[in-house]
Amino acid sequence: MSALHIKKGSTKHSAYNLRPNFSDVQERHTITVLVENEPGVLARVIGLFAGRGYNIDSLTVAEVDHTGHLSRITVVTTGTPQVIEQIKAQLGRIVPVHEVTDLTVAGPFVERELAIVKVVGEDDKRVEAMRLADIFRAKVVDTTLNSFIFEITGTPDKIDAFADLMRPLGLTKIARTGVAALLRGE
Amino acid sequence: MTREMTGAKMIVQALKDQGVDTVFGYPGGAVLPIYDEIFLQNDIRHILVRHEQGAVHAAEGYARSTGKPGVVLVTSGPGATNAVTGLTDALLDSIPLVVLTGQVPTFMIGSDAFQEADTVGITRPCTKHNWLVKDTEKLAATIHEGFHVATSGRPGPVLIDVPKDVQFATGEYQPPKPTASHYQPLVKGDMEEITELVAAIEKAERPVFYTGGGVINSGPAASQLLRELVEATGFPITSTLMGLGAYPASGKNWLGMLGMHGLYEANMAMHDCDLMINIGARFDDRITGRIDAFSPNSTKAHIDIDPSSINKVIRVDIPIVGDVAHVLEDILKVWKSRGRKTNAEALANWQGQISEWRAISCLSYTGSETTIKPQYALQRLEALTKDRNRYITTEVGQHQMWAAQYLNFEDPNRWMTSGGLGTMGYGVPASIGAQVAHPDALVINVAGEASWLMNMQEMGTATQYRLPVKQFILNNERLGMVRQWQELLHGERYSHSWSEALPDFVKLAEAFGAKGIICKDPADLDDAIMEMLDYDGPVIFDCLVEKHENCFPMIPSGKAHNEMLLGEAETQGVIQSGGAVLV
Ligand SMILES: Cc1cc2nc3c(=O)[nH]c(=O)nc-3n(C[C@H](O)[C@H](O)[C@H](O)COP(=O)(O)OP(=O)(O)OC[C@H]3O[C@@H](n4cnc5c(N)ncnc54)[C@H](O)[C@@H]3O)c2cc1C
Ligand SMILES: Cc1ncc(C[n+]2csc(CCOP(=O)(O)OP(=O)(O)O)c2C)c(N)n1
């Protein structure tokens, strides 16, 4: 499937890339949206997904350009190619949206998520948790005599794997930031 | 002139600088400072409606009949929530509106203050964009941006919510700046795609133009260019409900409206064509019928300014993102430069096929000497008004479809109807908005009695401003369109589809200070219509028509274009349960 890298209003690539090549396969796409940081802009994006029945697997947002008042929203979504194309086109219509980039198409890209994980346990389990954390390069950011909080960054898959391993060792709580992502190269 | 002024004054100044001559509105506590400023000037005319929904539909009628944005001013809370239906209507039909709402003072927002509503929250999904302005310094620039957004790209309604303290505070007025906005949708189409379309035009054996509201949105030049292209290529052309008038109904290539209640020849041409050229239409479900059976053997081109319209419903082969007028200009240029070629021989065969379909006369109906058939009423209305400077609005239902079928539109911006949302109650206020914009024209609202009652309070507006709108009510004492579906889909169980207590429309007219006319005999119809036309003032015309007439042709939900029903005899058991799920 081809990219619909909608630089606001531009159809430079889009006319060709609007050419359909649609299948029913569900695809996972990481899309970044550069938006004017005005009140309610996140509600617009979320409202679009809710109102039109699109999936949000993960969503992060933060101001990235303080002078230009621009924020970057990174949203991970799944859908058929046709739905993904619609999502991008619909995002592009939102007035304060400056740019929509489908990293999955434009790639390769780097994707990272941060999680903090609380693991409660004693004796062997505690030792094993530490050992595994080391392998995953998770840091201990808080500890008591019978608990740790680990901080881990990586792809969502890596964090899933870490959480799966920690579960039998006493994982009680996990907080994840959602994905931040950027294209590689210039 | 000092640029320092109150927010309220800024609003009026900004409207003037945007060339606004008319505002439709209704006052209340949260907009009183603005009403004060309106009182102190004479450049902008304020039309006091009777309900905020009426203000928005009136602004839509004004906008659609002029090509300019419509402007609305209402108060906070109930004023704003009453505007929601109109906003949604304008969003679905791509009508440019700027709606100003009052809000409780900034320091009270969030406290459940008197007449507080989260207006930007409520209207976020039913506006193209909206703003809450918390700082008077930003007010003027926001209003200018509002006009820019409402009218650029795919038009739509915007809303600007202004707290009362922002109206009282002073700030520096910013005049409009043309380049201030980052929002600049592209209007030029991609030349490679355009060339590919031209190549397809040269080869096409069974082409059809499928045009829509986007041609009207694009402005009069688009209609002119469309006419030129159609005449030059000789290709047949059909239009959606929203695009009627872009190509003249008297034009020799006109097929009539397409879609669920469109003409047989138009739908058959869509189904059998080998090249479909969609110009500013959005493959609405009233058009496509069953998607997998929609025009199965055609190459499809789609010209639309909104990338999200392309491939939303139907996959197309030649997508062209751009403004209709700009793209048509380029198509003509390229086509002429390549020698104005078409496949004449194949086209002649295609025309022959179309003539055969046309010969079915799908709009024929069984006449009557004793009762007025609604189709007949519209044929007579057409005959008696076609040479006048005429604007038509409608309500929603069977009468709307009959109006689209039996009235002929020669020019764009003459036909105002609620297509996407299908809002009963649209027509009365829309006729008022159109009449305000064209005081000397003949403005007729073709209505069903049920829809008409939904915003009939606006007759008060018509009398107050001496607006001679003609309310032509096809009174079947039924929610006709609902009744038709119940007949065809729900075993003739007419659950709540008629009104047991209708008002006496003649007395009602008199109560409003208008003229009332009732007509039930086909023999009296012409005289009665002439009486309506000759009366210099608003008229309510109660035309008592056949109660159980069905609107044909009809493509039942879930069926393909070539499975149309043409008349009563064909309706037995045709709609299966799969179709009944659809609306
Ligand atoms: C009871 C009922 C029955 C109906 N039956 C029918 C029927 O039988 N047939 C029928 O046709 N309709 C029917 N409708 C109307 C139908 O629901 C839709 O409103 C209508 O078909 C949509 O028209 P459109 O495709 O022209 O799109 P519009 O809603 O007019 O949209 C315009 C399109 O053009 C694009 N556009 C806007 N401006 C520009 C520009 N400057 N340049 C390029 N593109 C632009 C927009 O992005 C959009 O995609 C019915 C409605 C009701 C209430
Ligand atoms: C506000 C609103 N409510 C309900 C409907 C559903 N509806 C569509 S047509 C119709 C009946 C309209 O009756 P009338 O205005 O008398 O017109 P007719 O179909 O009889 O010509 C109804 C109830 C609607 N379109 N809009």
Side-chain angles (χ1 to χ4, degrees), chain B residues 395-400 402 421-425 447-452 454 474 476 478-482:
Chain B
E395 300 287 347
V396 169
Q398 292 178 315
H399 63 276
Q400 176 188 25
W402 283 316
L421 195 62
T423 312
M424 293 171 68
E449 78 295 337
S451 299
W452 192 87
M454 282 208 180
L474 296 176
N476 53 13
R478 301 288 181 278
L479 312 184
M481 187 60 95
V482 171

Side-chain angles (χ1 to χ4, degrees), chain A residues 8-12 14-16 18-20 22 36 38 40 43-44 82 86 89-90 93 95-98, chain B residues 124 128-130 149 154 182-186 190 192-193 196 306-308 310-312 315-317 319 321:
Chain A
K8 187 68 203 185
S10 126
T11 56
K12 197 79 191 80
S14 60
Y16 274 111
L18 286 167
R19 284 177 182 278
F22 294 146
E36 225 145 284
E38 61 177 45
R44 278 178 217 287
Q82 185 173 14
Q86 261 298 300
Q90 293 289 351
R93 290 172 88 189
V95 171
V97 166
H98 284 238
Chain B
R124 201 172 283 131
K128 182 174 174 186
H129 196 57
N130 62 14
V149 169
R154 180 180 185 164
H182 89 88
Y183 181 75
Q184 306 290 348
L186 267 207
D190 183 296
E192 285 179 56
E193 295 288 351
E196 193 176 334
D306 179 354
S308 81
I310 291 179
N311 289 333
K312 180 166 62 182
R315 302 168 189 192
V316 298
D317 307 288
V321 177

